[in-house]
Amino acid sequence: MRCDYCMPAEIFDSKHQFMHRNQLLTFEEINSVVESMIPLGVKKIRLTGGEPLLRRGLEGLIQMLSKHPVEIAMTTNGLLFGGRGESLRNAGLDRVTFSLDSLDPIIFEKITKTSGKKIQCILNSIEEAIDCGLGQVRINSVIRRGINEQDIDRLIEQFEHLPVSLRFIEFMDVGNHNRWRYNEVVPSSEILNHLQKTMTLIPIDSTHRGEVAQRWKVDGKDGFEIGFISSVSEPFCGDCTRARISADGRLFTCLFASKGTDLKSIIRGQNKNNGIQDLITEIWKTRDDRYSELRSNTPKPGTIVLPKIEMSYIGG
Ligand code: SAM
C-alpha cells in the first residue's frame, strides 16, 4: 500500500531506492538481538513495518522468537494475511492488529492508492484472525479531518458486534513526507464526545505502564472495545517503554528520532551478544527523547522541524 500519510506514492515509487536484501537483518540476526534484550526486561515484540507479511517465511521468524518468554504481536495491512492465520498462530503469533482507515472504497483508494475492492479482503482477514483465536484482534484507524471523519461511525457499525478493539489514532507528524498539518488532526476528545452522544462508554483501567491507548467498553456490546491513541493531543513520552529496531538493524528509542544506533555491524562483527546487550543498556539508560511533549509545548504545533525517520521504516 502507499498510504498518503505514511508512504506516499510520489516518493516511494518505482524509482525509490529500496534496501538490498543483504542490508536487512536475517531472521537469525533479529533473533539474536531479541535474545540479548530479554535479560533487559523485554516482554513484548511487535512485528511491523513496512508490511511484515511481505517478508518471505515470516512464520519462521515467529517460531524462533516464540522460544523466548515474550508476547509476539504483529501490525499488518491485512492484504497478505488471508489463509495464513492458522500458520501464524501455530508459529507462535499471539496477537494481530489490522490497519483500516476507511470502509468507503473511494476514500480507501484515495488514501492507500490500492483498489477499494481490497477492503473485503481486509475484513475477511480480520474475521479469520478472530476465528483462529489470535487474542483480541485490534483495528487501527487514523482519522483525518476532511478525509475520513465519516468512517468513525461506519467503522463502529462494522465492528461493534465483534470481539475486537477499534482504535482511533491521531494523525502524527512522523517522517518528512506525509504533509502533516495540525488542522488535519482530529483530537481523540472530539471523537469521544461524538460517540458519547449515542453510546455509553465505560473507561477501562490500563493494565500496564506504557499502554498507549486509552480504552473504553461500550455498554451492551460485549467483547467490543474502543481505544484512542492521542500522541498529539495528550503526549505520553514519559511512559514510553518502546525500543524500535529497523529492518536494517538500527535501534531507535523514539518514533520521531532522527538517528538510530547501528546494531548490525556489531552483530556481524566479532563480539556479538554481550556487545549488543551492553550497548542497548547504555542507550536505554541515557535516552531522553520526548518529541511529542516538545511539539505540544510549542505555541504553534508543527513548527518543530527536524529531519525524522519515516514511519514506514520503523513501524509505528
Ligand atoms: N504495514 C503495516 C500496516 O499497514 O499496519 C504496518 C506498518 S504501519 C506504519 C503501522 C501503523 O502506523 C498503521 O496503523 C498506520 O495507520 C500507522 N501510521 C502510519 N503513519 C501514521 C501517522 N502519520 N500518524 C498516525 N498513524 C500512522
Side-chain angles (χ1 to χ4, degrees), residues 191-205:
I191 303 181
L192 181 64
N193 288 341
H194 167 74
L195 297 180
Q196 281 174 325
K197 287 182 190 142
T198 53
M199 49 179 69
T200 306
L201 295 175
I202 305 146
I204 304 174
D205 288 338

Side-chain angles (χ1 to χ4, degrees), residues 5-6 44-54 58 62 72-81 88 93-101 137-142 167 169 212 229 242 244 311-312 314-316:
Y5 63 90
C6 183
K44 180 170 174 179
I45 309 284
R46 175 169 298 278
L47 301 168
T48 170
E51 173 48 47
L53 289 169
L54 280 172
L58 190 72
I62 295 173
I72 305 176
M74 174 172 75
T75 305
T76 172
N77 63 29
L79 293 185
L80 298 174
F81 184 92
L88 289 162
L93 185 68
D94 295 299
R95 306 191 62 143
V96 62
T97 300
F98 294 94
S99 303
L100 180 59
D101 298 331
V137 170
R138 292 175 178 169
I139 295 126
N140 278 354
S141 293
V142 177
R167 304 168 353 140
I169 306 182
V212 295
I229 301 181
R242 293 177 171 206
R244 295 177 164 84
M311 182 78 133
S312 54
I314 50 161

Side-chain angles (χ1 to χ4, degrees), residues 1 76-83 96 98-105 108 115-131 137-141 151 154-160 162-164 166:
M1 282 186 174
T76 172
N77 63 29
L79 293 185
L80 298 174
F81 184 92
V96 62
F98 294 94
S99 303
L100 180 59
D101 298 331
S102 183
L103 290 165
D104 178 313
F108 178 90
S115 164
K117 293 191 185 123
K118 295 285 183 187
I119 295 174
Q120 193 53 49
C121 164
I122 301 169
L123 294 175
N124 294 345
S125 295
I126 293 171
E127 278 196 25
E128 181 177 335
I130 297 169
D131 290 346
V137 170
R138 292 175 178 169
I139 295 126
N140 278 354
S141 293
D151 275 289
R154 281 197 286 243
L155 286 160
I156 302 257
E157 250 171 65
Q158 176 73 36
F159 293 115
E160 65 185 351
L162 294 175
V164 298
L166 174 62

Side-chain angles (χ1 to χ4, degrees), residues 31 60 234 252 260 273 291:
N31 186 47
E234 288 177 60
F252 295 89
N273 290 357
Y291 175 85

Side-chain angles (χ1 to χ4, degrees), residues 269-280:
Q270 299 298 310
N271 56 349
K272 289 207 157 187
N273 290 357
N274 275 346
I276 302 174
Q277 200 167 312
D278 293 347
L279 180 62
I280 294 173

